[in-house]
């Protein structure tokens, strides 16, 4: 399995017991969707390796307590500590309307109600307090906050997102 065919689900953050159980922090708004998985891919030395799950359950809000097959003691758990977790893209629940996954809109065109075509989404910056569309406009980077109030329509068929940005925001880049 290649990383391009998968989505990032979370990261193993700490050991839970001396019997090899670990706690994973999930990067999702709906952790309950991933409570009964049979297997998951761990990124070990830049390779996605499948691990089969003996049992798992939600632990507090965003943590998933996992017991992997053949991870039976602390030393085994230490070997997979801090590993990123991945699942195949086809396991992502389909989103409708104006909801979208960050990876799905890369390459979409952004159009503004007032300014028309702004450019093409080249990345999503989610390292700031508010996620940003990073848009390429003929070699100039344009940043637009991913605010529900700005997003008018997500058109998956035409790979376009229509936004209504505040007065002057796009002008900053022109």
């Amino acid at each position: 399995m290649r990383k391009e065919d998968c989505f990032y689900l979370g990261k193993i953050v700490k050991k839970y017991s001396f019997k090899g159980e670990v706690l994973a922090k999930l990067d999702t708004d709906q952790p309950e969707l991933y409570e009964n998985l049979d297997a998951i891919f761990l990124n070990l030395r830049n390779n996605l390796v499948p691990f089969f799950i003996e049992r798992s359950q939600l632990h507090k809000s965003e943590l998933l307590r996992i017991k992997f097959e053949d991870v039976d003691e602390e030393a085994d758990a230490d070997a997979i500590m801090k590993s990123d977790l991945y699942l195949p893209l086809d396991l992502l629940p389909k989103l409708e309307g104006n909801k979208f996954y960050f990876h799905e809109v890369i390459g979409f065109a952004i159009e503004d109600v007032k300014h028309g075509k702004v450019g093409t989404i080249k990345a999503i910056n989610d390292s700031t307090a508010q996620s940003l569309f990073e848009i390429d406009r003929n070699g100039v980077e344009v940043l637009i906050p991913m605010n529900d109030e700005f997003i008018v329509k997500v058109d998956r068929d035409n790979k376009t997102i229509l936004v209504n940005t505040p007065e002057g925001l796009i002008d900053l880049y022109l």
Side-chain angles (χ1 to χ4, degrees):
M1 182 68 61
R2 298 177 346 193
K3 209 184 265 190
E4 299 80 48
D5 302 325
C6 295
F7 67 95
Y8 173 80
L9 180 62
K11 183 184 212 78
I12 296 175
V13 291
K14 61 183 181 182
K15 293 179 283 194
Y16 183 77
S17 71
F18 62 89
K19 294 181 182 169
E21 288 179 295
V22 294
L23 291 176
K25 178 151 179 33
L26 301 183
D27 183 25
T28 177
D29 295 333
Q30 298 174 295
E32 63 280 356
L33 292 177
Y34 305 101
E35 194 171 3
N36 297 309
L37 297 171
D38 296 323
I40 199 162
F41 290 96
L42 271 63
N43 188 6
L44 300 174
R45 293 185 229 58
N46 282 331
N47 290 312
L48 293 185
V49 180
F51 273 72
F52 294 96
I53 297 174
E54 221 170 87
R55 67 180 176 277
S56 63
Q57 70 184 62
L58 285 176
H59 180 80
K60 300 186 178 161
S61 57
E62 288 180 0
L63 294 176
L64 185 66
R65 181 174 144 192
I66 305 171
K67 171 63 178 90
F68 291 110
E69 288 181 10
D70 301 324
V71 177
D72 297 316
E73 51 193 53
E74 260 188 282
D76 299 334
D78 283 334
I80 59 172
M81 199 54 48
K82 305 288 184 221
S83 294
D84 290 338
L85 307 173
Y86 289 87
L87 284 173
L89 284 172
D90 58 7
L91 290 182
L92 270 177
K94 288 279 179 238
L95 296 179
E96 296 178 357
N98 287 346
K99 293 185 182 289
F100 55 85
Y101 294 109
F102 289 0
H103 72 270
E104 119 182 78
V105 297
I106 304 299
F108 275 37
I110 287 269
E111 292 182 12
D112 183 72
V113 172
K114 296 180 242 10
H115 289 281
K117 185 162 171 44
V118 177
T120 305
I121 299 172
K122 62 178 182 173
I124 304 288
N125 180 342
D126 63 351
S127 64
T128 58
Q130 181 170 17
S131 297
L132 301 167
F133 289 119
E134 291 184 3
I135 301 156
D136 177 43
R137 180 185 173 94
N138 304 322
V140 175
E141 183 179 66
V142 177
L143 301 174
I144 296 179
M146 288 175 50
N147 184 320
D148 289 343
E149 294 173 20
F150 298 170
I151 299 171
V152 176
K153 181 176 184 218
V154 176
D155 182 350
R156 288 176 172 79
D157 294 334
N158 296 311
K159 297 188 179 259
T160 303
I161 297 178
L162 181 64
V163 294
N164 188 4
T165 57
E167 195 66 43
L169 179 66
I170 306 268
D171 294 325
L172 291 171
Y173 298 97
L174 303 179

